[in-house]
Amino acid sequence: MWYVTLALLLIDPVYLSLLCRFVGGGDMNGIGLLVPETAARLAFAAILVAHVAVVWKLLLPRYRTSFE
């Protein structure tokens, strides 16, 4: 479950904030209909930073203590 949690928290924001321009715009094409692409990419970058903070501050210490 540890790796599933990491994947779900990190992969989608990484794709939508960084990789969609290089790989293809699938999801961003639909999001771009509602808000400008730059605003959406910045919002997903902020979500990515928040998720990295959650992993670093909450999940990683619990993972370490469970295997000590």
Side-chain angles (χ1 to χ4, degrees):
M1 289 306 295
W2 165 253
Y3 298 109
V4 172
T5 303
L6 284 181
L8 292 174
L9 282 175
L10 301 177
I11 288 176
D12 206 32
V14 166
Y15 170 72
L16 288 171
S17 64
L18 302 172
L19 299 177
C20 69
R21 180 171 290 181
F22 305 110
V23 177
D27 292 337
M28 191 56 76
N29 290 337
I31 295 169
L33 295 173
L34 299 173
V35 295
E37 183 177 340
T38 304
R41 292 182 71 185
L42 288 174
F44 281 108
I47 291 169
L48 175 62
V49 169
H51 286 182
V52 168
V54 166
V55 168
W56 191 261
K57 294 286 186 178
L58 296 176
L59 295 178
L60 193 57
R62 290 180 184 173
Y63 178 76
R64 286 181 184 155
T65 57
S66 67
F67 286 103
E68 288 181 348

